[in-house]
Amino acid sequence: MEPEKNTERKKETSSHFIKAIIDEDNRTGKHDGRVHTRFPPEPNGYLHIGHAKAIHLDFGLAEEYGGKCNLRFDDTNPEKEDMEYVEAIKKDIQWLGYDWEDRLYFASDYFDQMYEYAVQLVREGKAYVCSLNDEEIRQYRGTVTEPGRNSPYRERSVEENLQLLERMKNGEFPDGAHTLRAKIDMAHPNMKMRDPLIYRIRHTYHYRTANNWCIYPMYDYAHCLEDSIERITHSLCSLEFEVNRPLYDWFLDELRVFHPQQIEFARFNMSYTIMSKRKLLRLVREGYVNGWDDPRLPTLSGLRRRGYTPESIRSFMDRVGVAKTESIVDYALLEFFIREDLNRRTPRVMAVLNPLKVVIDNYPEDLTEEMEAVNNPEDAAMGCRSVPFSKVLYIEREDFMEDPPRNFFRLAPGREVRLRYAYFIRCDRVVKDPDSGEIIEIHCTYDPETKGGNAPDGRKVKATLHWVSATHSIPAEIRLYDKLFLQENPEDVAEGEDFLTKLNPESRKILKGCFLEPGLQDINPGDTFQFERMGYFCCDPDSTPDLPVFNRTVTLRDTWARIQQKNQE
RNA sequence: UGGGAUGUCGUCUAAUGGUAGGACAGCAGACUCUGGAUCUGUAUGUGGGGGUUCGACUCCUCCCAUCCCAACCA
């Protein structure tokens, strides 16, 4: 009865209001059952996990309904956009596992068509050239409580408008001298309908159309036409465009062209991070993080470098759902999905982050034994490996306490624990630095009868520790990451206060002098492991043949950490 | 304030007039050579007031709270 369970589960996670709309459209035959979506990024920044929600929705819905999804770059503002972003965005979408096949489009491909439509609007008396400057336009627009006033240029003749528009296009005017505006209603209660701008003059080089154009279409005019030209059926966007929808509809209706339906859903937010492109750009530009792929960032490139898998992000998005309620998703949910994914796929390995030297006094000086270790207890097919054991070892510093509280199970003077896949050891003696009092090394004795990790007499230990052999281990650098911000919603700041004040000064901790078991000699950036008891780690591109570098993707669920916290309280 | 939208466990999300359900987080326990994983159990919610109805998260009404719109950004 497994399959039935699966269907039930899928149903749980995937019913939402947009599907209800599509189902209804299909029922009434609105688009002959056709479903065609698009993901329309502006190439002015890197994609983040908020975009992943939109991508997952746009591509996922098309797939589910046997339709298509276009990738379309909304490149109507050459001042902010760049080809670098186009390539990064394509890479991220592919990494997430989506395919636009041969449908890669650019809004700039439609500039001629858009201009023709604009001429049509002017001919029909539905648009005019306005010569107010930006300050005047703002004043004439009124406010949310007061109606605007008509522009003095609103009643220019069709002939004059046609001529001026042509001259705007030909580059006869400087930036800002004129605009083309829709003639709607300056007293409209919806501000977006108060004679919105259609074209503005910008003598700017465009990375795709070069200097062919010096007028560029505004979002509201361009976007609906892009959708219409591509015969998109369902045009999904975020909630803040709700007020733009009447305008979207107005242009398409007045032009009498194919009319897609705009549907708005709530943007994705997550606790302790930010999604604002502007703010992300600031963190990158001003050096608060190291580039767009800094593992602390919620960018897809950052998450990838951190060790997140596309599968985990997609499962996460399924669970997050789609609705119109604005929300902030707990980052712990994302962590749940990456743990779930990595738990079943990553090999286990032993690595000591903060080494404490252990000398096994009764172990032969020159002996090395190979211990058999399981690669993944969740997946027997991943097999076993052998790990060298010798007289001098490193264990995790936090696995030893000289004077432990009663609920500390690990090593302490007189206490016996198991070294994973090796022997039981008992701590006999602690060596300290006479000046600082810091513990330098501990001396233990091992029980030869417990080889492999089990006692023939059946006695139990309360803890199993990971370890590496001092002479065989390889040094490494390990980078630990924590929340980028200290506040659950970093956007929530007092008047005049900067979101930067909410940055977590300890969001990254770089550990040098860590040791890995020797099997990690030949690895590549991007390889992921579970360091037993410590978490999931991903090999960073900064690695060199001499010094592998790892990023901690996420810790294991840590019951001991919670107990410690309670102890403190 | 004019217009547009949204309010369901701590968080996210189902239930469209008929038992308020799931996931994460939490708590308790079982098991364990990872204080991991797994398994079991468990507490917590319909923004508020009226109304319609045998019955309301759902319909009506008033109120409250939050978000969006006054870029030649998208």
Side-chain angles (χ1 to χ4, degrees), chain A residues 87-114:
Chain A
E87 292 310 316
I89 288 168
K90 284 161 70 178
K91 182 180 172 185
D92 287 344
I93 296 171
Q94 280 168 329
W95 175 72
L96 268 185
Y98 294 105
D99 186 4
W100 53 87
E101 298 171 320
D102 57 350
R103 296 178 309 282
L104 170 63
Y105 303 124
F106 290 83
S108 52
D109 293 343
Y110 313 138
F111 281 176
D112 285 310
Q113 176 74 263
M114 288 177 187

Side-chain angles (χ1 to χ4, degrees), chain A residues 351-358 394-402 408 410-411 430-433 436-442 465-466 533-534 560:
Chain A
V352 174
L353 276 52
N354 291 303
L356 171 63
K357 191 174 174 184
V358 176
Y394 294 118
I395 63 167
E396 211 66 58
R397 197 161 268 276
E398 64 182 37
D399 283 340
F400 176 80
M401 277 185 102
E402 197 176 11
F408 181 86
R410 283 110 97 146
L411 197 58
V430 179
V431 180
K432 294 183 186 178
D433 181 299
S436 67
E438 190 201 354
I439 299 171
I440 296 171
E441 60 180 48
I442 59 175
L465 311 185
H466 62 280
R533 305 206 302 133
M534 302 309 287
W560 170 236

